[in-house]
Amino acid sequence: MRLFRHELRSQLRLYSRSRELAFFTFALPLIMFFLLGSVYGNDRIKSEQNVRAADYLLAGMLGYGAIATGFAGLSIMLVIRRESGILKRVRATPLPAWAYVVALLCTTLIAFALEAICMVALGRLYFHTHTHNLFSLGLALLLGAAAFTALGLALTSLIRSAEGSSAVVNAIYLPVSFLSGAFFSPHSFPAALKAIANALPLVYVIRLVRDIALHNQQIWDRPGDVAVIAAWGLAGAIVAARRFRWEPQEG
Amino acid sequence: MTPVVSVHGVTKSYGEFEALKGVEFELRAGEVFGLLGPNGAGKTTTIEILEGYRRRDGGEVQVLGVDPADAGLDWRARIGVVLQSSAVYENLTVAEQLAQFAGYYERPRPVDEVIGLIGLEEKRDARARRLSGGQRRRLDLGLALVGDPELIFLDEPTTGFDPGARRRAWETIRSLSALGKTTLLTTHYLDEVEQLADRVAVLREGRVVASGTVQELVGGAPTTEIRYRRNGEVVVVETEEPTRVLHELTAAAIRRGEELDGLEVRKPSLEEVYLSLTQAEPE
Ligand SMILES: Nc1ncnc2c1ncn2[C@@H]1O[C@H](COP(=O)(O)OP(=O)(O)OP(=O)(O)O)[C@@H](O)[C@H]1O
Ligand SMILES: [Mg+2]
């Protein structure tokens, strides 16, 4: 436990020192929210029960933040650490593997929690959004972000090089965010695209967040969505547990 | 006394390629052991099997009384590792990095003491990304020493060190050995081996082709070289019977009333022995 606390402190410091990562996963979703909100925040979305666009967008942006921080940021950072050999070196010390991994996941979740707080605050102050049921909302975001970190860990085992990592990761999470309606309502998307989106976890995260924050529901009113997200997270955790590598590709 | 590390008949293949074909050697407590061999001889493969990173295909390995293939965290606390390629966190300073690793051990060496050992006092608060290649390598060595291990594996630790830093690293390794700690070192610098290693093994194509102290290696070479100048030209005679050949040479010269200019009798240097061991056609 002492080792875990030591590692968590170190990981938080490392995270806060990494400017690229902080921008990519932390600031970018906030900036997107600000930009998109300024463009169409005051519209009403007819296809979505006439809700205010800013409210609608906030849920999408929280989901986008979860996938950017938990999935994209984590996996890029880990692949870089693995390929530079730092993970291999850590394995030669008496630090238990679980302590390293859990500290890293906690760091990621803490970063996302801060980001989500900033996002909700930005919405309140600037776009006059309304967010209900903060407790349920927090649980839903925690669930979503945790599932994405598990998927992010799993993804690292499929990426071969540090150079390729951001290309692969961007090619996955940006289209997924787009398809899942993080940026605007997917109402007018062709059926095929909708079908793809409905197979992916982000749609369920965003819908859950929206139902809670906007339609005044609680997380336990939505067991179906929760189950899909948890199942994706579990699948990611299983792949990660089986395939996670500490050593760089060349051995 | 039981050896600190023992390696018997270790084999390892990468696909079809046999990288190790029955490697044998032992490390005694407190010694510095040098593992030599040309590129691709199998040094890193051997050392990473001992560190527990790679699996052997066959043979017996004991490191600190344990098979590294199933060693636990307590065992790891007793070894220090420098890998062939450096790896440090780019965004941490020298002192932070050492403190982070120190925290993994029960009884680490004080961070500032380690910074002194690796001579990075002036870079104490510089982030790793701003270090030069050799300074980064020194930090790497510091990370291996900060846990105060009893057994240290160094895979080409001084590559990229300037001559001063290399001497300081030698001092550090000698001081470890004076404290009873054991070091396994690979290197391509033969002067490093002559300065540091109590014993060496020379690997070639996955086999140990010679081992012993440096003196034994050099002394065990069968030929002696006799050189002199005659009519301005250097004559070199290599012989396995130096006493007889020298006697005949000098006797002949005395008969002719000549002086053998620049007469020298010497054993080959470690470098020459090394080259003949690693370059000669295998029998
Ligand atoms: N992961 C691997 N996959 C396939 N072949 C490998 C792998 N690692 C090493 N080899 C091969 O095994 C042989 C021994 O490699 P090793 O790295 O042990 O050599 P070395 O003695 O450390 O060389 P160097 O002095 O260049 O560091 C080489 O021919 C190398 O190509
Ligand atoms: Mg090597």
Side-chain angles (χ1 to χ4, degrees), chain B residues 9-262:
Chain B
V10 169
T11 56
K12 167 84 183 173
S13 297
Y14 298 107
E16 293 286 282
F17 177 74
E18 288 178 73
L20 302 183
K21 303 169 185 160
V23 173
E24 303 269 343
F25 61 86
E26 288 189 346
L27 266 68
R28 303 173 193 149
E31 77 176 338
V32 178
F33 190 91
L35 196 55
L36 298 179
N39 293 138
K43 302 180 297 296
T44 299
T45 302
T46 305
I47 212 168
E48 292 209 353
I49 287 174
L50 300 180
E51 290 159 352
Y53 284 119
R54 303 192 195 186
R55 304 268 142 172
R56 62 185 185 269
D57 297 333
E60 285 305 312
V61 175
Q62 293 263 307
V63 176
L64 296 171
V66 180
D67 183 343
D70 40 50
L73 298 176
D74 298 345
W75 178 83
R76 285 202 212 135
R78 296 167 65 198
I79 65 168
V81 169
V82 167
L83 297 168
Q84 181 161 1
S85 45
S86 311
V88 295
Y89 285 115
E90 300 292 330
N91 286 320
L92 293 184
T93 68
V94 168
E96 286 168 347
Q97 194 124 212
L98 287 166
Q100 173 161 356
F101 276 67
Y104 298 156
Y105 298 87
E106 292 282 329
R107 277 177 305 276
R109 292 177 82 138
V111 165
D112 282 308
E113 186 185 304
V114 175
I115 291 178
L117 282 180
I118 56 177
L120 284 182
E121 292 91 343
E122 282 169 20
K123 297 288 174 183
R124 190 180 184 286
D125 297 311
R127 295 205 184 170
R129 66 164 75 250
R130 301 207 194 293
L131 297 181
S132 75
Q135 291 168 341
R136 188 186 269 274
R137 196 68 183 146
R138 276 143 76 177
L139 174 56
D140 220 347
L141 178 61
L143 294 180
L145 300 181
V146 76
D148 198 17
E150 352 176 345
L151 171 62
I152 304 139
F153 293 108
L154 305 173
D155 198 352
E156 300 189 22
T158 61
T159 301
F161 281 34
D162 63 50
R166 168 162 299 143
R167 289 201 180 263
R168 195 155 35 212
W170 292 350
E171 282 307 308
T172 305
I173 294 170
R174 277 197 208 106
S175 70
L176 295 172
S177 145
L179 293 172
K181 309 196 185 282
T182 312
T183 306
L184 175 57
L185 164 92
T186 80
T187 181
H188 291 297
Y189 301 107
L190 296 171
D191 57 334
E192 186 156 296
V193 170
E194 282 182 303
Q195 289 285 332
L196 269 186
D198 298 303
R199 292 189 307 132
V200 298
V202 180
L203 269 186
R204 174 185 176 167
E205 292 169 13
R207 276 201 192 91
V208 175
V209 291
S211 63
T213 63
V214 171
Q215 285 77 12
E216 283 167 358
L217 238 61
V218 173
T223 59
T224 299
E225 205 177 84
I226 300 170
R227 288 170 178 259
Y228 57 95
R229 269 201 305 275
R230 188 162 187 195
N231 304 331
E233 280 190 31
V234 178
V235 181
V236 180
V237 183
E238 282 187 7
T239 173
E240 297 185 7
E241 297 172 290
T243 320
R244 188 179 59 77
V245 172
L246 192 63
H247 181 75
E248 286 172 7
L249 267 175
T250 48
I254 290 168
R255 254 183 276 123
R256 289 195 302 271
E258 285 175 11
E259 186 59 43
L260 291 177
D261 276 333

Side-chain angles (χ1 to χ4, degrees), chain A residues 120-171:
Chain A
V120 169
L122 177 68
R124 280 227 168 138
L125 295 176
Y126 203 80
F127 298 119
H128 309 289
T129 52
H130 302 282
T131 24
H132 300 292
N133 304 326
L134 287 178
F135 177 69
S136 259
L137 181 66
L139 284 183
L141 288 174
L142 181 64
L143 173 72
F148 285 130
T149 55
L151 290 166
L153 283 183
L155 181 69
T156 59
S157 60
L158 305 177
I159 300 179
R160 287 168 163 270
S161 71
E163 295 75 43
S165 66
S166 70
V168 174
V169 169
N170 285 322

Side-chain angles (χ1 to χ4, degrees), chain A residues 172-197:
Chain A
I172 297 175
Y173 99 100
L174 287 173
V176 167
S177 302
F178 180 84
L179 283 181
S180 305
F183 305 117
F184 37 77
S185 166
H187 184 74
S188 53
F189 284 4
L193 289 186
K194 275 191 204 162
I196 295 175

